[in-house]
Structures are given as C-alpha cells and as structure tokens.
Amino acid sequence: MEYSEDDYLMISGIQHFKFCRRQWALIHVEQQWDENMHTVIGELMHKKVHDPALKEKRKDVIIARALPVSSRELGISGECDLVEFHKCEDGIRLHGHRGLWSVYPVEYKKGKPKVSDEDKLQLAAQALCLEEMFSTTVPEGAIFYGETRRRELVGITEELRSEVKQMFREMHEYYEKKYTPKVKYSKACNSCSLKEICLPKIGKTVSVKTYMEQMLKEGES
C-alpha cells in the first residue's frame, strides 16, 4: 500500500506518539499545541542548524541542511536536520558530483541522550525515507545532543525499523478515525507541554469540578 501526499503524517510526530499517544492526537488530530521552555529551546536549536548561512564543505563530504524527505510506503514527510553524503566505493550517484556516496542522517536535539527510544525512532524514520528516495541502504546515523555537545551513533536496526513501521500504521489509523486516546496519568505528564489542555489528573472518574477543588486545596497547603 502507498499513501497519497494528502495523507502524509509528520515524521516528528513519532516523538509525541512514543512519549504519549494522547499527546500526539491532541497535537496532530485535534490541532492543539502549547509551548513550554523545552519546546522553545528545541525550536531555537533547530533554527540554528537550519540556517542557510551556516555552510560546511569538506573534500569527501557533502552536507545538506533541512533536507525535505518523505515516504509513500509509510505515508510520512518532514525534514532532516542534516544529511551528510560521504564519498565511498559502493554507494549512490549524486547529480553534479563525481563518484559514489553513502547517506548519513544527523538529528539535532537540545538535551542529552534519553533512556527511551523516541530520538532513535525519529532518526530511523528519516533513514527509511532516505532509503526510499535514494534507492539505497542507510545502516547508521547520529544524534547530536546540545547538552553533551557530541554525537551519539545509532545503528538503524531491524528492531527500530519494525517499530517505526508499526507506530506509523497505528498513527494513520488514529488519524483516519479522528481518535484521541483517553488519559493515562504518569509522572511524565508533569513535563508535557499540553498538560494544561489535557488535564491528565482528571482521569476517567474525576469531574472537572472535583479536579479544580483539588487544585485549590493543593494551592492552599
């Protein structure tokens, strides 16, 4: 099955979906969004790496910034922060450049490496798009973390590929049905940029009135 461009979902949405399916639906299905300090810092960092004035040339490396990518098979589109094309003996041909080149995506993140896999999944999704677009294989990429100021190498494993495909299939199902999952409160809700919209502590059985009374009591204590 191939998707039409009108049905494409955002690659970056896999970050939200892995963190919380409800958060993803609030943003991508219901079109709600709120910013916190983390999202603002992340946006500023991406603007810097996407600055067209920042150019780097090396003899055996071609660098493309903010490269648009997509996949008809997965029904997704977005941008790669940075893609390096390394000259090699067995790779693809690039228009206007001699020789053969391998494809190496690099994603930029503001913080430090996470315990969970959402950053790796986003990079893997980009790799799958690049493979489809250039008819090649992308075995590895990297994530640059602003807090540690270093790259973390990521192998694009079969496990990551399978999880990416499964998650986007599920996202397409939610999007087509306009379905927003119910609240499942956890400690992670405290750092969510949508917690004031989602109101996770209300849950299934607590009314808005009861929730507000609880919040007032907490504020008085």
Side-chain angles (χ1 to χ4, degrees):
M1 175 182 175
E2 289 192 349
Y3 292 90
S4 67
E5 291 186 13
D6 292 337
D7 297 323
Y8 282 1
L9 300 176
M10 294 174 61
I11 292 174
S12 58
I14 201 167
Q15 285 266 337
H16 305 132
F17 200 77
K18 180 68 174 179
F19 176 76
C20 172
R21 281 158 168 73
R22 178 174 172 80
Q23 186 201 63
W24 175 86
L26 287 171
I27 295 171
H28 298 271
V29 176
E30 298 188 16
Q31 301 294 307
Q32 300 193 56
W33 180 247
D34 195 12
E35 288 187 329
N36 61 17
M37 181 180 68
H38 302 295
T39 60
V40 171
I41 293 173
E43 286 178 5
L44 290 173
M45 185 174 180
H46 278 77
K47 283 181 181 178
K48 182 177 180 180
V49 74
H50 288 178
D51 187 343
L54 294 174
K55 295 182 180 179
E56 183 178 356
K57 294 181 180 179
R58 299 177 188 173
K59 183 177 180 181
D60 293 330
V61 180
I62 300 170
I63 295 176
R65 301 180 188 275
L67 180 69
V69 294
S70 62
S71 166
R72 287 189 175 274
E73 181 182 345
L74 297 177
I76 58 176
S77 64
E79 283 186 350
C80 291
D81 288 338
L82 186 148
V83 179
E84 296 176 347
F85 297 91
H86 294 255
K87 201 165 190 178
C88 61
E89 295 181 357
D90 182 18
I92 61 170
R93 295 192 179 278
L94 295 175
H95 180 70
H97 298 278
R98 294 180 180 179
L100 300 176
W101 306 82
S102 63
V103 184
Y104 195 88
V106 182
E107 176 67 12
Y108 278 66
K109 297 296 179 186
K110 67 175 183 60
K112 58 185 178 181
K114 299 181 178 70
V115 176
S116 51
D117 289 337
E118 54 259 41
D119 293 346
K120 294 178 181 178
L121 289 165
Q122 183 176 350
L123 184 70
Q126 294 173 1
L128 289 171
C129 290
L130 290 165
E131 288 182 343
E132 185 176 319
M133 292 170 61
F134 289 100
S135 298
T136 188
T137 300
V138 180
E140 186 181 275
I143 303 171
F144 177 88
Y145 287 98
E147 192 168 321
T148 60
R149 305 299 298 173
R150 58 172 293 180
R151 288 185 179 187
E152 298 289 330
L153 305 184
V154 178
I156 311 301
T157 63
E158 287 303 318
E159 289 77 13
L160 284 175
R161 293 167 183 270
S162 296
E163 188 170 357
V164 165
K165 292 175 183 178
Q166 176 56 40
M167 291 177 77
F168 277 116
R169 280 195 292 268
E170 193 175 344
M171 279 188 242
H172 277 288
E173 290 176 6
Y174 285 10
Y175 194 83
E176 289 170 11
K177 296 176 182 177
K178 304 302 178 186
Y179 171 69
T180 300
K182 295 180 180 179
V183 174
K184 291 184 179 180
Y185 179 74
S186 70
K187 291 182 179 179
C189 294
N190 294 326
S191 63
C192 177
S193 61
L194 295 181
K195 65 180 179 181
E196 299 304 324
I197 296 172
C198 177
L199 298 177
K201 287 187 178 181
I202 289 181
K204 297 180 181 179
T205 58
V206 180
S207 67
V208 174
K209 181 181 177 182
T210 304
Y211 171 77
M212 294 306 296
E213 288 174 349
Q214 291 175 350
M215 292 299 289
L216 287 171
K217 287 180 181 178
E218 290 178 9
E220 293 171 356
S221 59

